[in-house]
Amino acid sequence: MSIALITGASAGIGAAFAQELASRGMNLILVARSEDKLQALADSLQIQYQIQVQIIAQDLTEPDAAAIVFDKVEQQGHSVDLLINNAGIGDYGDFAESDRDLQLKIIQLNTLVLVDLTHRFLQGMRQRRSGGIINLSSVAGFQSMPYFSIYAATKAFILSFSESLSAENRSYGVTVLAVCPGPSETKFFAEAGFPSYLIDLVSRTYTPTKTVVRDALDALEKRDAIVVPGNPINQVLVNWPRFFPRDAVANFWKFALAKR
Ligand SMILES: NC(=O)c1ccc[n+]([C@@H]2O[C@H](COP(=O)([O-])OP(=O)(O)OC[C@H]3O[C@@H](n4cnc5c(N)ncnc54)[C@H](OP(=O)(O)O)[C@@H]3O)[C@@H](O)[C@H]2O)c1
């Protein structure tokens, strides 16, 4: 049976990936900070689907976190067939007034750890000439976003990086996919400190996490490089910046996301 490693598996989209892949008979390695949540999810999936689930409780912003996770997997003698780089956070607000350490942590978690894990697990996949890597970007990756600047920049990084890796690795039998959801039904916006009126607004276009996951896995099967799952509004969100000057796009989001 094949193995998927999912970062940020204790909640939201990561937990939905765990649920869906378990229902398809995959063994899982679940990574996040909340050991209790990971253990509860692992217990329920093992009982429900008779699969094996290992948990790794790890803060991925700690130094050498990717190496620690990789070494634990190697020590167990597992080879990962599907890596899902899902853990990601954001921080709403004016960059100049923000907590500088937090901005650096966001870059660390959303991009550096993703690159590190990808580089480590890709080696075995290429040797075996099979495997998949799913990286969580966002509709935010297609445009600048004042008041959510670092987050959008990290998601643009992930999008560009994943498209390049998709092309580099196709002939080695490894599929790399950037998943670019729009607002999805998780605690993400609350965790990122969005004001409640903005959360109310975006929640009207929420895509269920199950849909994000199913669209992502369908795209992986088709060996696509990018997928924009769910609500058709998300297609508008990724495409409209192509038809307007870049400063108009930035000014639109400055207006839309400004604190009122
Ligand atoms: N929800 C959306 O609207 C949306 C839209 C586009 C893209 N995305 C992307 O989708 C991914 C998942 O988001 P989500 O909505 O599911 O968010 P979420 O519900 O807030 O879940 C975030 C996950 O990341 C984990 N995590 C956070 N900090 C971590 C750290 N330092 N080390 C290890 N794990 C950490 C959390 O677990 P612990 O707290 O237990 O560590 C949790 O499992 C993110 O990359 C996000 O950018 C989300």
Side-chain angles (χ1 to χ4, degrees):
M1 237 190 298
S2 49
I3 301 182
L5 185 148
I6 307 166
T7 68
S10 64
I13 294 170
F17 266 113
Q19 190 73 41
E20 181 64 27
L21 291 170
S23 77
R24 298 180 185 198
M26 262 189 128
N27 291 325
L28 302 172
I29 302 170
L30 308 178
V31 184
R33 291 167 303 181
S34 311
E35 189 165 7
D36 49 343
K37 287 190 196 163
L38 289 180
Q39 195 58 61
L41 181 60
D43 290 347
S44 95
L45 294 178
Q46 285 180 131
I47 293 166
Q48 208 178 344
Y49 299 109
Q50 286 84 50
I51 54 160
Q52 286 172 19
V53 186
Q54 186 194 342
I55 66 163
I56 301 178
Q58 175 67 45
D59 183 338
L60 290 171
T61 64
E62 280 179 4
D64 300 326
I68 292 167
V69 169
F70 182 77
D71 290 349
K72 281 191 179 160
V73 173
E74 289 275 290
Q75 280 158 17
Q76 301 280 325
H78 295 318
S79 54
V80 168
D81 306 287
L82 176 60
L83 168 66
I84 305 182
N85 284 307
N86 164 79
I89 54 170
D91 180 42
Y92 170 84
D94 183 334
F95 173 74
E97 294 171 7
S98 69
D99 173 345
R100 187 170 54 247
D101 288 344
L102 177 57
Q103 305 316 309
L104 298 179
K105 269 194 176 178
I106 295 171
I107 296 169
Q108 177 80 18
L109 180 66
N110 295 10
T111 64
L112 298 181
V113 170
L114 177 148
V115 169
D116 199 341
L117 286 173
T118 297
H119 194 269
R120 288 169 194 277
F121 285 106
L122 184 55
Q123 311 303 324
M125 290 180 189
R126 277 173 56 139
Q127 275 161 19
R128 295 190 295 277
R129 298 194 79 81
S130 81
I133 299 177
I134 295 178
N135 292 330
L136 266 290
S137 177
S138 164
V139 295
F142 291 80
Q143 49 221 304
S144 60
M145 271 193 182
Y147 308 122
F148 212 33
S149 58
I150 294 292
Y151 178 78
T154 63
K155 294 298 168 180
F157 176 100
I158 295 169
L159 181 57
S160 168
F161 175 61
S162 305
E163 279 188 281
S164 298
L165 288 206
S166 169
E168 281 181 21
N169 289 286
R170 201 166 283 130
S171 60
Y172 290 89
V174 180
T175 306
V176 181
L177 170 72
V179 180
C180 307
S184 307
E185 207 172 0
T186 75
K187 296 213 166 73
F188 173 82
F189 290 98
E191 295 280 335
F194 272 76
S196 52
Y197 75 91
L198 276 177
I199 296 179
D200 288 346
L201 204 63
V202 292
S203 68
R204 290 179 206 164
T205 66
Y206 271 170
T207 298
T209 55
K210 203 179 238 187
T211 306
V212 174
V213 165
R214 289 198 175 155
D215 286 0
L217 295 174
D218 286 351
L220 186 77
E221 211 155 285
K222 286 191 265 171
R223 313 202 70 192
D224 290 344
I226 301 181
V227 64
V228 179
N231 195 317
I233 289 174
N234 298 335
Q235 293 294 343
V236 177
L237 285 173
V238 301
N239 283 303
W240 82 274
R242 293 195 286 142
F243 301 103
F244 290 87
R246 292 180 74 88
D247 62 342
V249 174
N251 283 327
F252 168 78
W253 285 114
K254 181 180 175 206
F255 171 76
L257 296 180
K259 206 169 233 164
R260 295 192 167 79

